[in-house]
Amino acid sequence: MLKAVILIGGPQKGTRFRPLSLDVPKPLFPIVGRPIIQHHIESCTAMKDVKEILIIGYYPPAQMSHFISDMQNLYEINIRYLQEFTALGTAGGMYHFRDQIRAGNPSAFFILNGDVCADFPLQELYHFHKSRGPDALISIMSTEATKQQSLHYGCLVLDKHTGVVNHYVEKPSSFVASFINCGVYVCTTDVFPMMATIFHSKQQDFAGFNNGSGKDQGHIQWEQEILTPLAGTGKLFALPVTKWWSQIKTAGSAIYANRHYLALYRATRPECLANNDLKSMNGSVSCTVYPDVFIHPSASVHPDAIIGPNVSIGAGCTIGAGVRIRESIILDNAVINDHTLVLHSIIGRGSVVGAWARVEGTPSDPDPNKPFAKMDNLPLFNSDGRLNPSITIIGCCVTVPAEKILLNSIVLPHKELNRSFKNEIIL
């Protein structure tokens, strides 16, 4: 038997994803019409030996309960949300809920970070882990990054023949290796005694319940306190993969992930996509589609609209005549009125964009001329204090008047705009 653990953090995390995470938890943000972590769950349920999925974080249960119930009914597998009482770090939550993970005596369990997206090769990773023998404690899914970008990830030096990790550094200050940690693991339950040693050593060191930094004494960092000491012991392994992988740190990375999940669905679940001209009940063409595109069945799209490529349109949306949408995500119940252009943007839930408006952002995709390049996930402002060019984001319940231009801007929820904006944050 196998289990899977999905780590989703909490409301203090995902600040770079705002304003999209202000009205919905970041792990539940829809990509191709499905919450981010539903893609994780789907990959886990594809392995028949996975019998239980545990989602660990410190979001209030009320924000997760409806999603958990839907997932259990959809996939007919035991899925539970385990709430941390406070932020316990990437390993502290797993140690806190160790009894739930070990229940049923699983032979191994997967760990997936909730802010990564990929064509998860879980079966391949598990077979690799088993083939390393009884000494293998943890196996990491790894990929290559550019020399400069590797500094933003956990870097590992590995033996390419055996997969043994000889050295591991989380976000090094200088170049260590081009192989990086993808935030996807398979482990044996023998990792918990190591966590226990760290936990008890902290209990002896700390006076009271805090260490002076505001962190609970049960706060354990998976990368720094588990992976780094294990490197070079022959118990930590890594499987380099060439399949698509990316982090979802900023809103721009959501559009990039949307494109790749659309391509993945084209190969695995083409019936979910609107990759041909949509047909109405009487057989006439409903709208023009340039693949790949996802349109929710409840969305209303005018026959004169042109959609795609890389577009997801959520439930209850209304797309008017002559609308052109490309490289964008339109969230539930949004209204895009006639002859509006939407490029490289995310339109929030319940927002209304007037007729003949233009909403446009700047793409932030990896450099196609650099092998292994990843999303840069630039900060909001550059060193000069100016807003970095990025996609345009309209928060929930925003009204954009007709014939206005919104360029490279971020609009917080519940705003009624009265003019055009360029390179601004509308608070």
Side-chain angles (χ1 to χ4, degrees), residues 234-245:
K235 297 181 179 180
L236 182 65
F237 294 83
L239 173 67
V241 298
T242 56
K243 292 183 177 181
W244 162 72
W245 171 88

Side-chain angles (χ1 to χ4, degrees), residues 278 295-303 305 313-320 334-336:
L278 299 182
I295 300 177
H296 194 277
S298 65
S300 172
V301 183
H302 194 277
I313 296 175
C317 290
T318 302
I319 310 298
V335 177
I336 312 296

Side-chain angles (χ1 to χ4, degrees), residues 323-386:
V323 168
R324 180 70 174 100
I325 305 176
R326 176 175 178 157
E327 299 282 341
S328 299
I329 298 174
I330 314 298
L331 299 179
D332 296 355
N333 301 311
V335 177
I336 312 296
N337 283 303
D338 297 356
H339 305 290
T340 287
L341 176 66
V342 180
L343 301 174
H344 303 289
S345 301
I346 297 179
I347 310 298
R349 287 175 175 78
S351 291
V352 179
V353 181
W356 295 99
R358 183 184 184 102
V359 179
E360 183 175 356
T362 300
S364 53
D365 290 356
D367 187 343
N369 298 314
K370 292 182 179 179
F372 314 117
K374 303 290 184 284
M375 286 287 298
D376 274 330
N377 293 321
L378 296 171
L380 203 55
F381 299 97
N382 59 26
S383 56
D384 298 328
R386 297 177 182 273

Side-chain angles (χ1 to χ4, degrees), residues 98-156:
R98 60 195 179 277
D99 291 339
Q100 285 89 332
I101 297 173
R102 292 187 295 196
N105 195 27
S107 57
F109 64 98
F110 292 100
I111 302 171
L112 299 90
N113 286 352
D115 64 351
V116 302
C117 51
D119 180 6
F120 296 105
L122 299 185
Q123 191 74 56
E124 185 182 351
L125 184 63
Y126 179 59
H127 286 321
F128 170 82
H129 180 75
K130 284 206 303 182
S131 68
R132 300 305 100 175
D135 289 337
L137 199 62
I138 301 170
S139 292
I140 306 170
M141 172 180 155
S142 175
T143 190
E144 283 195 79
T146 64
K147 185 175 180 178
Q148 185 60 38
Q149 288 182 325
S150 67
L151 306 180
H152 305 300
Y153 301 93
C155 295
L156 41 96

